[in-house]
Amino acid sequence: MGAGYVGGPTMAVIAANCPEIRVTVVDLNAAQIAAWNSSNLPIYEPGLQAVVESCRGKNLFFSTDIEKEIEEADIVFISVNTPTKTQGIGAGRAANIKNCELCARTIAKVSTSNKIVVEKSTVPVRTADAVRRVLSCNDKGLTFQVLSNPEFLAEGTAIDDLQRPSRVLIGGEETPGGQEAIQKLVSVYANWVPTAQIITTNLWSSELSKLVANAFLAQRVSSINSISALCESTGADVSEISRAIGSDPRIGPKFLQSSVGFGGSCFQKDILNLVYLCESYGLSECAEYWHQVIKINEYQKSRFTKKMVERMFNTATGKKIAVLGFAFKKDTGDTRETASAFVCRDLLAERAKIHVYDPQVKREQMMLEFDYTLNVNTTTEPDLEKLITTSSSAYDACDGAHAIAVLTEWDEFKTLDYQRIYEKMSKPAFIFDGRNIVNQAALRKIGFEVYAIGKPWPAE
């Protein structure tokens, strides 16, 4: 249930590795399902198209006939969105599990046989208990076993993460029925995942592990980003520091790349959820500790834009700014909570003229992100359509620009003809590298004024 970033790829990989199992992805959104049944999938992920096409129509199906497919299923995965609440109790922190509850009610309503129901969505601890209680209220005498099977995908590498997972986590009740259900799901994954990498726990440990995993990863990003600010003030180089500390096996090198800030659908939502859980149990010091990870991320995004304006003689009004990248990371078209949107918002407040190029993000999706996440639309900003232009190439975006902001680490931005770009830009020509991917020395030799996250800033 749910044909989004988790449900679609996960079920496609299960179908590809388990040809004897019939897998159907269902969703209320007919356009989304139509896209999954086409050659133009609704999400971009390297390798996804090949996996889907290898089994679609054989044992992988996409349908809007939700009730029929639930009735026929032995196992039902709930893979729906659980956004942060925007109003009411816990607004701005707690996850809204309305969609999970609606799924449970639909399952209870249409089922005619016992089923295993698997939470795949990222949910607060003890959501499984709420799902179980809804299911147990069925008046047909049916038994439902509820499992937690959180996803640990990284967008851009999701297919590889699913095909060769570092671990598969399955939590269930510590009862004979619960343990039997766990083993049933273990048998599915064991078709391609070594059993040593399939971890089984109780329900609550499984649910909390997902939140904690994302919190620890985001914590590393915010930690190195806080150091990047210190590097810029002292003349140290954050890349050298990352390499130095990352060589310590107790620390390791991953998630130590400083940037303009993390984005995506999971990190901020899951940390805010963790903060709310801590607050709910009276653990205020723990809540504040984790909330600081979010605060540093917000600080990093606003600090980047402030530096841009300061270096451009304290004004961006009327200036053309080329924004390279709008997705929250490379190799995905996902724009949720992307740092690029926040930087663009702050540049709009300065009345800059923004020209955005991203190889996987269309204008419609970009404008939806501005509206949904930042409440930036033609009502709050009447000149929005004039101030933001979507360009068909990086060269078009940069033509005549006063400055370039590299905000997504797409590989193509490393190999652009920057001599050609420089010749068509207003002078002095600025490059603000929010991902530390450009060759700063080479660009300075061309004539650019280059400023990068956590790098020694050139003298005035």
Side-chain angles (χ1 to χ4, degrees), residues 121-341:
S121 304
T122 302
V123 293
V125 181
R126 306 199 78 87
T127 299
D129 190 49
V131 171
R132 180 187 58 76
R133 288 173 61 190
V134 169
L135 293 170
S136 67
C137 290
N138 77 87
D139 57 2
K140 308 167 197 173
L142 300 177
T143 299
F144 296 92
Q145 292 294 336
V146 179
L147 303 179
S148 168
N149 175 218
E151 53 85 13
F152 295 103
L153 309 180
E155 290 186 42
T157 59
I159 298 304
D160 191 57
D161 294 339
L162 287 163
Q163 294 281 26
R164 287 170 285 277
S166 59
R167 79 284 200 200
V168 171
L169 181 59
I170 302 172
E173 290 189 280
E174 296 174 304
T175 63
Q179 294 303 302
E180 184 181 346
I182 287 175
Q183 291 309 313
K184 178 69 74 174
L185 188 54
V186 166
S187 71
V188 173
Y189 283 108
N191 279 282
W192 78 97
V193 180
T195 53
Q197 290 167 225
I198 303 176
I199 302 170
T200 61
T201 69
N202 70 36
L203 271 171
W204 324 129
S205 295
S206 178
E207 288 181 332
L208 186 55
S209 292
K210 169 61 178 177
L211 299 183
V212 173
N214 277 343
F216 270 60
L217 294 175
Q219 178 194 45
R220 285 174 68 95
V221 176
S222 282
S223 293
I224 198 64
N225 279 345
S226 72
I227 299 303
S228 74
L230 185 60
C231 287
E232 291 167 25
S233 297
T234 61
D237 186 323
V238 73
S239 297
E240 294 176 348
I241 290 173
S242 294
R243 188 168 68 253
I245 66 173
S247 62
D248 186 330
R250 296 170 300 174
I251 298 173
K254 294 186 176 180
F255 282 80
L256 290 180
Q257 290 73 45
S258 188
S259 70
V260 66
F262 61 75
S265 64
C266 293
F267 280 5
Q268 177 154 316
K269 175 172 70 74
D270 290 354
I271 294 174
L272 290 173
N273 194 346
L274 188 60
V275 168
Y276 182 69
L277 281 171
C278 292
E279 290 174 340
S280 298
Y281 288 104
L283 305 172
S284 56
E285 290 83 2
C286 298
E288 181 53 34
Y289 175 83
W290 288 110
H291 196 211
Q292 195 64 34
V293 175
I294 297 294
K295 290 181 178 178
I296 287 291
N297 196 51
E298 297 299 320
Y299 165 71
Q300 186 77 341
K301 290 181 286 191
S302 63
R303 189 175 75 83
F304 184 81
T305 315
K306 184 179 179 182
K307 287 280 189 181
M308 287 183 66
V309 176
E310 286 177 353
R311 294 291 165 166
M312 291 189 293
F313 316 112
N314 288 309
T315 180
T317 303
K319 292 179 178 177
K320 177 179 177 179
I321 310 295
V323 170
L324 300 186
F326 197 81
F328 85 91
K329 62 185 287 190
K330 73 172 185 176
D331 293 334
T332 180
D334 195 350
T335 61
R336 289 175 291 182
E337 297 291 341
T338 176
S340 188

Side-chain angles (χ1 to χ4, degrees), residues 419-434:
Q419 180 67 52
R420 168 186 167 187
I421 289 172
Y422 177 78
E423 290 170 358
K424 293 189 175 183
M425 286 181 66
S426 295
K427 308 298 187 297
F430 297 89
I431 289 186
F432 299 93
D433 185 2

